[in-house]
Every structure is written in structure tokens, then in C-alpha cells.
């Protein structure tokens, strides 16, 4: 049985999709292709995929919306193919959970190296602790409802969390009093470790503090550890 990594290439351009598939196959990877979102979903239902290479600029469902869907429903690593001039698309893609990106026109050898690097990182992460039947985690004056993806105050008022905020808070709440570096938070929330985008973690923490802290400028729940990262400075209890 072939156990080499199975890569899905999603690109509406056959001129890019097919030559890239041949190159990756010659490099020892198993490869399947899709020309858009509908075909991508069909492939995912019938194949055990290890990583998705996803073009951003596609008609109909674009790569950003497909990346968001993948991140919300799977743990699959995603590498985006982006236009050289679209800085906004690259940043948005990373914000919603892409693991890496390659700009067009690209060198297939560089993409292969990035695929291998992302696969190494995803496999090196510690397995996620089983969540059992826990649906609510209490910390400080809040309760994190993991089913509804919201936090509930002591007075019963619920505050909605974005997907990014939910991932980040879940990582912190499941590791109370543990200092996590920006790189670790990037890996644990989206499987990527990209130094130029470490500041995105700072921005996410800032937004999260505005929702959970009584005074976001003097945080007591999510504290900064200078030179280290961030820590949830609160005890956490499970509510079955």
C-alpha cells in the first residue's frame, strides 16, 4: 500500500493544474486534482487527503471561501496559490487559517519544498487532547461554550466569537498557566509557523482581550509574558 503523502491540487486552470500534478507525482507524492469547489468536495469525500494546494483566483467559489470552509470543517493543511500583486489576499488567507502561500508564477521545486515543510510541521505537532463530552469550560468570570462557539458571562449574556478568536481562546483555555510562544500559538491554531505573520497573533489576542477583559489595557486573564508569548492566567474547570 502506497503511504506517500496524498496531495489535492485545486485550480481552475488546467495549464497549471496538470503540469504541477505530474511534477509532484514524479517527486514521489500521490496527487489528485480538482477544477473548483464542487470537484474538491467530491474528492475529499472519496480520498484520504494529507494537504490541499488551493488557487485563490477561481470563478464561482474562490480560494479564500474554500480555505475558510476547509479550516472550519477539517484539519487539513492548506497552501494557497496567489497572484504576485495581491498582498491583501495573502494576508486574509493566512488570517483565516492557510498554512502557507506561494505566489504565481512559481517554481514547482519551491512549492514542493513548502509542501514538505508544512507536512513536517503538521505531523510534529502534539496530538490534540481528547475533548471527551466537555462542551463548556469555565475560566475567570466566563464560560466557553465549545458547541456554540461563544463565551457566556456570569449574568448569562453571550458574546459571539469569530472562528479565529474561538480557536485562539480554545488553545489557551485548554492550557491554563502554560506560557505559549507566538510560534506555538500559530501552529496550534492554524498549523503554520511563518515569522513575518507573528504579529497576527498579537492582533488576535488584542481583539480577544476586548471581549474577555474588564480592562483590555491592563489584562488579568490573557497576560503577556515578555520575551515568551501569552498565558491564560486563570484556573479552568470543566462543566460536563
Amino acid at each position: 500500500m502506497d503511504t506517500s503523502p496524498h496531495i489535492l491540487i485545486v485550480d481552475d486552470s488546467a495549464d497549471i493544474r496538470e503540469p504541477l500534478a505530474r511534477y509532484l507525482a514524479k517527486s514521489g507524492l500521490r496527487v489528485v486534482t480538482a477544477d473548483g469547489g464542487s470537484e474538491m468536495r467530491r474528492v475529499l469525500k472519496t480520498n484520504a487527503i494529507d494537504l490541499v494546494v488551493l488557487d485563490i483566483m477561481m470563478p464561482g467559489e474562490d480560494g479564500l471561501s474554500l480555505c475558510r470552509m476547509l479550516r472550519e470543517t477539517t484539519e487539513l493543511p492548506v497552501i494557497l496559490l496567489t497572484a504576485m500583486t495581491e498582498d491583501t489576499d495573502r494576508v486574509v488567507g493566512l488570517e483565516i487559517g492557510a498554512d502557507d502561500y506561494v505566489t504565481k508564477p512559481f517554481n514547482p521545486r519551491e512549492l514542493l519544498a513548502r509542501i514538505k515543510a508544512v507536512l513536517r510541521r503538521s505531523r510534529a505537532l502534539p496530538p490534540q487532547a481528547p475533548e471527551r463530552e466537555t462542551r463548556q469550560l469555565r475560566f475567570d468570570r466566563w464560560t466557553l461554550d465549545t458547541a456554540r462557539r461563544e463565551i457566556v458571562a456570569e449574568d448569562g449574556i453571550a458574546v459571539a466569537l469569530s472562528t479565529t478568536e474561538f480557536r485562539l481562546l480554545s488553545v489557551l483555555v485548554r492550557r491554563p498557566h502554560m506560557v505559549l510562544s507566538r510560534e506555538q500559538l500559530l501552529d496550534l491554531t492554524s498549523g503554520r509557523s511563518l515569522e513575518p505573520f507573528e504579529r497576527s497573533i498579537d492582533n488576535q489576542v488584542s481583539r480577544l482581550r476586548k471581549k474577555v477583559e474588564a480592562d483590555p489595557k491592563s489584562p488579568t486573564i490573557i497576560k503577556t509574558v515578555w520575551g515568551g508569548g501569552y498565558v491564560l492566567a486563570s484556573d479552568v474547570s470543566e462543566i460536563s
Side-chain angles (χ1 to χ4, degrees), residues 162-214:
S162 69
T163 298
T164 301
E165 291 165 349
F166 173 74
R167 283 201 206 104
L168 178 58
L169 185 57
S170 295
V171 166
L172 292 168
V173 166
R174 294 184 185 283
R175 297 163 180 81
H177 306 295
M178 182 183 298
V179 177
L180 296 170
S181 69
R182 290 176 177 84
E183 183 178 42
Q184 287 173 319
L185 288 170
L186 282 167
D187 276 342
L188 290 167
T189 55
S190 59
R192 56 189 165 85
S193 176
L194 298 175
E195 185 175 347
F197 293 90
E198 282 191 353
R199 291 293 298 178
S200 69
I201 285 293
D202 297 332
N203 294 334
Q204 292 166 25
V205 168
S206 178
R207 290 194 292 269
L208 194 53
R209 279 173 171 165
K210 291 177 181 178
K211 294 189 175 182
V212 304
E213 300 282 1

Side-chain angles (χ1 to χ4, degrees), residues 25-95:
K26 288 180 180 178
S27 301
L29 301 175
R30 291 179 293 153
V31 184
V32 63
T33 65
D35 60 6
S38 296
E39 182 68 7
M40 180 189 80
R41 291 182 178 87
R42 188 193 67 76
V43 170
L44 290 175
K45 287 181 179 179
T46 57
N47 294 267
I49 299 298
D50 296 300
L51 181 145
V52 179
V53 177
L54 181 59
D55 183 33
I56 285 183
M57 296 297 293
M58 293 189 293
E61 289 183 285
D62 64 21
L64 291 178
S65 62
L66 292 174
C67 179
R68 184 179 293 107
M69 181 274 291
L70 286 170
R71 189 51 67 234
E72 291 175 350
T73 58
T74 77
E75 295 297 324
L76 286 174
V78 177
I79 296 179
L80 295 175
L81 300 180
T82 77
M84 180 70 74
T85 58
E86 297 300 325
D87 290 335
T88 300
D89 284 348
R90 293 199 292 274
V91 173
V92 170
L94 292 167
E95 288 281 356

Side-chain angles (χ1 to χ4, degrees), residues 74-128:
T74 77
E75 295 297 324
L76 286 174
V78 177
I79 296 179
L80 295 175
L81 300 180
T82 77
M84 180 70 74
T85 58
E86 297 300 325
D87 290 335
T88 300
D89 284 348
R90 293 199 292 274
V91 173
V92 170
L94 292 167
E95 288 281 356
I96 63 178
D99 298 86
D100 204 346
Y101 69 86
V102 175
T103 55
K104 294 180 178 180
F106 59 87
N107 185 325
R109 185 176 178 181
E110 178 190 356
L111 177 56
L112 175 62
R114 289 179 180 269
I115 288 172
K116 291 180 177 179
V118 169
L119 288 173
R120 281 197 302 271
R121 288 202 303 269
S122 64
R123 290 169 178 174
L125 289 175
Q128 193 171 22

Side-chain angles (χ1 to χ4, degrees), residues 224-238:
T224 301
V225 180
W226 299 111
Y230 295 100
V231 61
L232 185 88
S234 171
D235 292 335
V236 177
S237 59
E238 297 182 355

